[in-house]
Amino acid sequence: MTAQIIVNNLHKYFGKLEVLKGISLEIQRGQVVCVIGPSGSGKSTFLRCINRLEEPTHGDITVDDILITDPKVDLNKVRRNIGMVFQQFNLFPHLTAKQNIMLAPLELKLKPKREIEQKALELLERVGLSEKADVRPRQLSGGQQQRVAIARALAMEPDIMLFDEPTSALDPEMVGEVLAVMKELASIGMTMVVVTHEMGFARDVADRVLFMDGGIIMEEAPPAEMFSNPKNPRTIEFLNKVL
Amino acid sequence: MNLGKVFGEVSPLLFQGLWITLEVTVLSLLMAFILGLCSCFMALSKRAVLRGLSKVYVGIIRGTPLLVQVIYIQYAIPQLLQYAGFDVRFTPFFAGFVTLTLNAGAYLSEIFRGAINAVNPGQMEAARSLGLSHAQAMKIVVLPQALRICLPSLVNQFIITLKDSSLISVIGLADIMYQAKIYVGRSMESFATYTWVALFYFVIIAILSHISKTVEKKVMI
């Protein structure tokens, strides 16, 4: 069986600055991959290339057998299948939690409105926020906003979820509630790529952990091995600082 | 000092003029809103030609006084058209309408552009990541927020245009200012008449400001 996400020799320049210096990687269906590494190592850029929020400079990315780096690809269609959760939540502030979740399925006319609304309410229940359906993002805590953002991404029924430091903007006591939702997703077999500083989450939930530094994957291992027996000196130095 | 007596005589004229003032202002602003949005999207376009066109338009309007613009449209353009073989004359209302539309459109274009740029780029990214096209994301995510952001500047531009419409009286549009000038010519009551004119504008704008504050409170997020 071919991998669900195949990244081949991915390079990304911002102007003259080379941020990704040749990333190659395969992710199987249902795998949870955590990407760790210092700031500026290219983790987020790598993640954002997977749904082409960043335009790769060269290299290929294949998702579900579709070459998404093909200039002719229907990006909007590809992206429906790849949910994304942002560090800053990016909820739509002028809409309620429920409207946030319903917006894209409604605009894209994926289903009748009643079904979309039903689904939105189910998702809110799933992330534990049923009572917040008609509340605007401003009145929600960071953790609640991020859970709504996850529900919003799930409303498109994606096969893959990308998480870009989903807990980095949260107060410490709210990290747990977001990670719990992510764990639940992992347990039902969602393919997930998670850029994170939460080493505990990576250890408990990830199938593989990637350590990135300077635009390349320095080390890749199952979490047990990565955290107890890292090989690369840079990995050792980094883990010593954060653990 | 015959404020009372003058009011009795001049107010029917001023109300007549007020109607014209409001008519030309409201019509111009409606068109300017559309023109401003178009020019703003051109300014934000990927195509250099469209960006350039918008820039030239805004540059010309901003770089010339409204008084020159209105006289230009009323007298200079028809002459140019005559040279080209067309015998065209504009009514003062039409020339005033076109001038105010072009003028306010340019300023609104800049206001809209600023507001769209002020919406957090994360909003566009979040919408695109859900599979919406650029146009869909613009329409249902970015624009609703941008309009809220620019509401105060928008109202400000409406007020400026309303006041600027008094300049159209120089080409003979029978607005408040025009009626006042005629009356003063007859009665020599400059002080009383123009005091009433100023008060007329002041009251309309106070009402406008009040309405806009109420609206602002309602739609703020």
Side-chain angles (χ1 to χ4, degrees), chain B residues 100-121:
Chain B
L100 287 179
T101 299
L102 288 174
N103 189 275
Y107 290 106
L108 288 177
S109 168
E110 287 297 282
I111 290 171
F112 291 142
R113 193 169 64 92
I116 287 173
N117 285 334
V119 174
N120 186 333

Side-chain angles (χ1 to χ4, degrees), chain A residues 122-191:
Chain A
E122 279 169 31
L123 284 167
L124 277 169
E125 195 181 337
R126 193 161 151 201
V127 298
L129 290 170
S130 291
E131 75 282 9
K132 302 290 187 188
D134 298 316
V135 167
R136 295 260 174 99
R138 181 158 293 181
Q139 291 151 278
L140 296 172
S141 72
Q144 291 171 333
Q145 288 192 47
Q146 194 61 300
R147 284 187 280 155
V148 173
I150 294 173
R152 179 178 68 180
L154 291 175
M156 298 300 294
E157 302 179 349
D159 285 343
I160 299 168
M161 286 285 285
L162 308 177
F163 292 85
D164 189 2
E165 302 201 27
T167 58
S168 297
L170 297 177
D171 289 338
E173 73 264 31
M174 289 165 186
V175 170
E177 63 196 54
V178 172
L179 292 182
V181 171
M182 291 167 63
K183 268 182 197 165
E184 191 256 340
L185 274 181
S187 73
I188 58 164
M190 177 73 75
T191 310

Side-chain angles (χ1 to χ4, degrees), chain B residues 33-45:
Chain B
F33 192 91
I34 298 167
L35 180 66
L37 267 184
C38 293
S39 165
C40 155
F41 285 129
M42 284 164 66
L44 296 171
S45 158

Side-chain angles (χ1 to χ4, degrees), chain A residues 48 79 90-93 138, chain B residues 122-123 125 128 145 221:
Chain A
R48 290 159 58 84
R79 283 178 178 150
N90 293 346
L91 287 180
F92 308 130
R138 181 158 293 181
Chain B
Q123 294 290 310
E125 284 188 348
R128 296 304 304 273
Q145 294 180 58
I221 4 174

